[in-house]
Amino acid sequence: MPGAWFESVAEAQRRAKRMLPKSVYMAIWAGTEYGLTLKDNVEAFGELGFAPHLADLPAQRDLSTTVMGQSISLPVLISPTGVQAVHPDGEVAVARAAAERGTAIGLSSFASKPVEEVAAANPQTLFQVYWAGTREQILERVLRAKRAGAVGLIVTLDWSFSHGRDWGSPAIPEQLDVRAMLKQAPGALVRPRWLYQWARAGHMPGLTVPNMSAPGNPAPSFFGAYGEWMQTRSPSWEDLRWLREHWDGPFMLKGVMRVDDARRAVDAGVSAISVSNHGGNNLDGTPATIRALPAIVEAVGDQLEVLLDGGIRRGSDVVKALAFGARAVMIGRAALWGLAAAGQAGVVNVLDILRSGIDSALLGLGHASIGELSPADLLIPTGFERRLGASGELTGSRASG
């Protein structure tokens, strides 16, 4: 039944696949090239086991924590993702769902809704930027987010513009004009519930990115903004320090996979890092984020907050990341599948699934709080970790087996 409760993120994914046109679904699901990293992000969690207790278990469990100065009710945040064409309410619905469940949302600068609307829907909005355009343009976007009420800044650098997908990239038009709609019609017509949602909203997906323009100016197209990003030189650590100086609140660097980069992030003055490989959409063959997490926590976990992004599908995955020392996790695809399946209620459903799974795992492990988790709660196979960029060690030297 459309909009009905679902019991797992896997079911949310199945419903999203049935709801969305194939091109929209594949834009969410697909990783780059062969999909090695995309697959490893998810499957690596299955290599980790638990060491549960069976008596004297805590009657109550505390899942709350703080991230980037924000008190949240569970250690799960919404990762910044563009939700082009998924649902008419887009990031506003996701923001409301996160607020309803007491957590924060990361808002992408490539989002379909303006930061002003999203921050009004959730006061715990963290604005994300790519290094696209000049310093002046980047600073203008950041200051706009600050004025709108964003309480933290996320800078994403893990992107190498690797476009090829072995199974073919989805066909997405630059704008939905008459010609494009006629071309996309066969895929949309076989998804009548998706089409009906947009018809009720009174418009089709705009495929624009309003947070990439100055207030009052027309929003550029997704591909127009993407082109600007591609043509911008990669930032230096000095560029990052410059932006940090212009943002006086919590500041996260997203995309860290190496110990040496994590240490440079500390030197640059960031307050949090996200261990992330862009959901398998960056350089294929990069290890799963959960494999890289322990070495990064060991190196810098006492100097800044470390979050994990990538492959989270159930509450037990969250607990495994926290046992390795992550402060919290971020979810992207899981939230988008919930949004596609049932709008705002679907995102709430996903967060509830994760909350229940975290609580159940804490109970089984005999802990009254997520702060009590440690590697001792896990069964970790030999060679599981990937200590990328660790001083004095060859990259992958512990990756045999």
Side-chain angles (χ1 to χ4, degrees):
M1 176 181 174
W5 175 85
F6 44 87
E7 66 175 322
S8 67
V9 171
E11 176 59 22
Q13 181 182 358
R14 287 189 287 270
R15 294 189 188 188
K17 188 174 184 179
R18 292 194 297 267
M19 167 68 85
L20 299 173
K22 183 178 180 180
S23 62
V24 178
Y25 175 78
M26 289 306 294
I28 297 172
W29 170 241
T32 57
E33 297 182 339
Y34 188 66
L36 293 170
T37 300
L38 173 66
K39 183 178 181 181
D40 196 34
N41 269 353
V42 177
E43 295 186 354
F45 282 101
E47 297 178 25
L48 297 169
F50 285 121
H53 293 279
L54 78 165
D56 293 326
L57 304 180
Q60 302 292 329
R61 278 79 56 194
D62 182 9
L63 277 58
S64 64
T65 189
T66 59
V67 174
M68 296 178 71
Q70 300 300 304
S71 296
I72 54 178
S73 69
L74 75 166
V76 179
L77 295 81
I78 305 297
S79 190
T81 55
V83 259
Q84 307 291 338
V86 174
H87 188 279
D89 294 334
E91 296 86 356
V92 172
V94 179
R96 288 172 178 156
E100 187 176 336
R101 287 300 181 258
T103 193
I105 177 174
L107 177 68
S108 172
S109 55
F110 274 70
S112 62
K113 299 293 184 183
V115 62
E116 291 81 5
E117 292 184 21
V118 175
N122 188 331
Q124 294 182 302
T125 293
L126 313 172
F127 185 68
Q128 178 269 347
V129 293
Y130 293 106
W131 204 267
T134 65
R135 277 188 172 189
E136 291 71 23
Q137 288 173 308
I138 294 166
L139 185 57
E140 185 177 66
R141 294 169 197 142
V142 166
L143 294 178
R144 173 187 172 185
K146 187 78 169 179
R147 290 191 298 269
V151 294
L153 185 67
I154 301 173
V155 181
T156 300
L157 299 185
D158 59 329
W159 194 256
S160 58
F161 301 104
S162 178
H163 301 108
R165 296 181 172 98
D166 285 12
W167 52 84
S169 294
I172 302 174
E174 182 164 350
Q175 59 181 358
L176 275 177
D177 53 19
V178 174
R179 181 178 179 181
M181 284 192 284
L182 289 173
K183 188 174 182 179
Q184 297 292 319
L189 290 174
V190 297
R191 295 292 185 265
R193 288 191 292 125
W194 177 85
L195 201 58
Y196 176 68
Q197 281 184 342
W198 288 95
R200 285 191 62 188
H203 61 90
M204 293 301 288
L207 304 185
T208 58
V209 286
N211 297 310
M212 292 292 287
S213 64
N217 290 349
S221 70
F222 179 92
F223 288 107
Y226 189 81
E228 178 186 58
W229 180 24
M230 287 183 67
Q231 294 166 28
T232 303
R233 67 167 180 81
S234 297
S236 65
W237 286 105
E238 180 55 39
D239 286 324
L240 194 67
R241 279 189 287 272
W242 165 83
L243 186 56
R244 181 67 182 104
E245 290 170 1
H246 286 81
W247 180 268
D248 60 1
F251 187 108
M252 178 192 292
L253 178 62
K254 187 172 183 291
V256 177
M257 286 293 293
R258 297 173 56 101
V259 168
D260 49 3
D261 283 342
R263 290 186 172 125
R264 295 293 296 271
V266 171
D267 293 341
V270 310
S271 45
I273 58 174
S274 173
V275 178
S276 169
N277 51 36
H278 220 105
N281 276 296
N282 186 24
L283 186 62
D284 198 30
T286 302
T289 53
I290 191 66
R291 298 188 193 279
L293 176 65
I296 291 173
V297 169
E298 178 186 317
V300 301
D302 60 344
Q303 300 173 76
L304 43 63
E305 296 175 356
V306 180
L307 287 82
L308 176 132
D309 190 339
I312 299 293
R313 299 292 183 268
R314 48 195 64 84
S316 59
D317 297 338
V318 179
V319 169
K320 290 170 183 178
L322 269 56
F324 271 146
R327 188 65 166 262
V329 305
M330 305 180 82
I331 59 168
R333 288 184 178 91
L336 296 182
W337 292 329
L339 180 67
Q344 178 179 333
V347 183
V348 169
N349 197 156
V350 165
L351 290 171
D352 286 346
I353 289 166
L354 297 178
R355 182 190 297 276
S356 176
I358 297 167
D359 187 67
S360 294
L362 279 183
L363 176 62
L365 294 169
H367 293 312
S369 166
I370 57 174
E372 297 176 4
L373 291 164
S374 76
D377 294 306
L378 302 178
L379 301 176
I380 308 168
T382 302
F384 178 81
E385 295 181 35
R386 302 293 186 267
R387 301 177 65 86
L388 309 183
S391 178
E393 297 186 46
L394 294 174
T395 296
S397 61
R398 293 176 61 180
S400 60

